[in-house]
Amino acid sequence: AILDLWLKKAEQQDAASRRESVLFILATAYHAVRAGHSGTVRARAGVLKGLVQKDDEPRASQLWALVQGVLDVEDGRPESAVKSLEPFVHGDELYQVHVVLHDAYEALDDKAGQKKQRDWLDHQRGRAYAEEISSYVLQSLNLDDARRLQSSDTQRVAAL
């Protein structure tokens, strides 16, 4: 699997080179869980978590929280996803933090929470295009989610 190749590569890199690899690896893990390949990521969770702890890189911590958040929602623990992701909401969080929060609130059947996240995603739609992390590796998800989660008001305006 691609994760295994990159994990092996990261083990052999110096700290500076490993930083970019770790971001790519975690973004790939996030793509995998979003695509329904949770088992692949769960099987490597210890190694992935170790990479995050080794480098203490804020974006890596955020990406790992996203992976965990999706797994929590999948496992029927959306409140855990909310609890782990809310601390990242301080203005410079990844666009995907709000996507996973939306999905967690949806699983909780919390309409107000869903609306709050959809509104944020609508107002910050430009981030879906411009957010740079590891060569824009999350951009395709950002754009798909921006379209999927746009509010009905935004959809009406776009149709005009």
Side-chain angles (χ1 to χ4, degrees):
I2 191 167
L3 275 175
D4 293 327
L5 294 172
W6 277 91
L7 287 167
K8 185 174 181 172
K9 180 179 177 178
E11 288 174 6
Q12 300 166 354
Q13 293 176 317
D14 61 64
S17 300
R18 186 176 53 242
R19 179 188 176 278
E20 188 65 24
S21 292
V22 167
L23 294 174
F24 181 80
I25 289 164
L26 292 168
T28 301
Y30 179 64
H31 274 274
V33 296
R34 288 283 308 272
H37 300 288
S38 303
T40 300
V41 175
R42 289 178 196 275
R44 293 155 182 84
V47 176
L48 294 168
K49 186 176 181 178
L51 284 175
V52 173
Q53 293 170 336
K54 183 184 252 182
D55 288 334
D56 193 35
E57 182 358 90
R59 285 294 202 208
S61 297
Q62 220 171 123
L63 283 165
W64 179 241
L66 286 170
V67 170
Q68 287 297 123
V70 173
L71 294 174
D72 286 343
V73 172
E74 185 178 284
D75 291 344
R77 296 188 322 266
E79 65 286 338
S80 180
V82 171
K83 185 178 179 182
S84 66
L85 289 170
E86 281 292 338
F88 291 105
V89 177
H90 46 65
D92 66 349
E93 67 274 11
L94 294 169
Y95 189 83
Q96 288 295 313
V97 167
H98 293 275
V99 171
V100 177
L101 283 169
H102 172 275
D103 293 347
Y105 285 124
E106 184 176 49
L108 290 166
D109 200 30
D110 180 339
K111 303 293 185 209
Q114 289 176 66
K115 182 178 180 342
K116 179 181 176 185
Q117 297 310 314
R118 263 194 323 276
D119 288 349
W120 187 94
L121 290 162
D122 277 350
H123 288 100
Q124 299 294 325
R125 191 176 179 90
R127 283 191 189 198
Y129 296 88
E131 184 175 81
E132 197 285 320
I133 183 165
S134 190
S135 301
Y136 297 94
V137 71
L138 295 177
Q139 190 177 49
S140 61
L141 280 175
N142 285 350
L143 297 177
D144 186 53
D145 289 328
R147 183 192 47 76
R148 175 177 69 94
L149 298 174
Q150 71 185 161
S151 70
S152 54
D153 291 340
T154 304
Q155 291 172 2
R156 278 192 291 275
V157 170
L160 296 177

